[in-house]
């Protein structure tokens, strides 16, 4: 990923917040037999096992993730045998030149994204079940009456046998937030307003991210 200084994100808290807010991830492996293998899965930030991986100028911006795959998919990835990349996509959207109300501008795409590199640690059955339970809790906690995996414990243990859990301590983290930081404040606010207007390509979450990053040091 092209890293321009103005768009780089190195703050550990912001990196982990991005992962927490956008947990639907893409896992990419390169295997000797199958070549590239790609899967999609939810991941969690493992606060109990943070590391200090290689994150360029900020060695403290490590990020450890937890996830799970169907065992057949884990075998295709040869999980644990080599390094993988996990990609987490935050808010993103098309920016029309007409929204600037001045020229010259061309169409662009604003986005936030996180790449986490590392070699997964394959977990045993008990830890895998804990990952499944924690994943359910993570998403259910926002509901007024959270559902828990323990409600179907026998069944859950039975299907968990077909799942492989993993922990991914990052060896490299690359985070980028391209949110019009190179534009004047009045232009950013104009673009954010367009993204919140209900017109085609409106993405209110992206507008919030553009405003928020202007307020952060």
């Amino acid at each position: 990923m092209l890293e321009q200084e103005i768009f780089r994100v190195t703050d550990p808290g912001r990196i982990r917040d991005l992962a927490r807010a956008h947990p639907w991830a893409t896992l990419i492996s390169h295997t000797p037999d199958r070549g590239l293998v790609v899967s999609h899965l939810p991941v969690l930030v493992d606060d109990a096992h943070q590391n200090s991986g290689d994150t360029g100028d900020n060695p403290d911006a490590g990020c450890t993730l937890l996830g799970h795959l169907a065992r057949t998919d884990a075998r295709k990835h040869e999980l644990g045998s080599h390094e993988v990349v996990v990609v987490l996509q935050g808010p993103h959207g098309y920016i029309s030149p007409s929204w600037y109300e001045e020229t010259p501008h061309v169409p662009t795409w604003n986005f936030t994204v996180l790449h986490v590199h590392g070699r997964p640690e394959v977990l045993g059955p008990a830890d895998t079940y804990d990952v499944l339970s924690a994943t359910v809790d993570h998403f259910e906690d926002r509901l007024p009456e959270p559902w828990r995996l323990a409600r179907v414990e026998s069944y859950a243990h039975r299907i968990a046998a077909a799942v492989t859990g993993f922990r991914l301590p990052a060896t490299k983290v690359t985070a980028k937030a391209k949110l019009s930081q190179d534009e004047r404040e009045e232009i950013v606010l104009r673009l954010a307003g367009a993204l919140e207007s209900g017109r085609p390509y409106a993405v209110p979450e992206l507008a919030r991210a553009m405003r928020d990053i202007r307020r952060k040091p």
Side-chain angles (χ1 to χ4, degrees):
M1 180 166 61
L2 177 63
E3 292 189 78
Q4 299 132 297
E5 188 61 33
I6 191 173
F7 302 135
R8 289 181 67 201
V9 179
T10 57
D11 178 75
R14 287 178 60 198
I15 287 171
R16 289 194 280 271
D17 285 347
L18 175 61
R20 290 188 185 96
H22 303 280
W24 186 243
T26 302
L27 170 67
I28 305 165
S29 301
H30 186 273
T31 65
D33 295 335
R34 294 183 174 86
L36 288 173
V37 180
V38 181
S39 291
H40 305 277
L41 67 157
V43 296
L44 304 178
V45 174
D46 184 6
D47 290 312
H49 295 84
Q50 290 309 320
N51 67 359
S52 60
D54 173 12
T55 55
D57 293 339
N58 188 347
D60 296 322
C63 185
T64 298
L65 301 177
L66 291 171
H68 67 277
L69 291 166
R71 183 163 296 179
T72 52
D73 287 341
R75 282 199 287 264
K76 289 178 181 177
H77 281 273
E78 300 177 5
L79 206 66
S81 299
H82 48 72
E83 186 172 89
V84 303
V85 181
V86 172
V87 179
L88 298 102
Q89 178 68 65
H92 62 94
Y94 177 76
I95 305 295
S96 169
S98 64
W99 296 350
Y100 293 87
E101 299 178 12
E102 64 177 40
T103 58
H105 281 96
V106 295
T108 191
W109 205 278
N110 277 3
F111 62 90
T112 56
V113 70
L114 172 63
H115 295 181
V116 180
H117 300 244
R119 184 168 179 165
E121 301 171 356
V122 175
L123 302 177
D127 287 335
T128 292
Y129 187 85
D130 288 344
V131 170
L132 294 175
S133 184
T135 302
V136 171
D137 290 350
H138 175 79
F139 293 103
E140 286 287 325
D141 280 348
R142 296 177 61 182
L143 300 178
E145 297 182 15
W147 186 92
R148 301 304 183 199
L149 198 60
R151 292 178 59 178
V152 291
E153 188 168 10
S154 296
Y155 173 72
H157 276 288
R158 209 159 55 242
I159 64 172
V163 173
T164 298
F166 66 90
R167 177 177 292 109
L168 180 64
T171 56
K172 180 180 179 182
V173 176
T174 306
K176 185 173 182 177
K178 180 184 172 293
L179 299 170
S180 299
Q181 294 97 314
D182 51 346
E183 298 287 351
R184 303 191 314 275
E185 181 79 12
E186 63 186 277
I187 295 296
V188 175
L189 295 178
R190 196 175 297 157
L191 297 177
L195 288 165
E196 293 169 328
S197 66
R199 69 181 71 179
Y201 304 112
V203 185
E205 186 182 12
L206 179 58
R208 288 194 296 274
M210 290 168 63
R211 287 195 174 98
D212 287 347
I213 204 163
R214 307 292 288 204
R215 292 192 285 262
K216 292 175 180 175

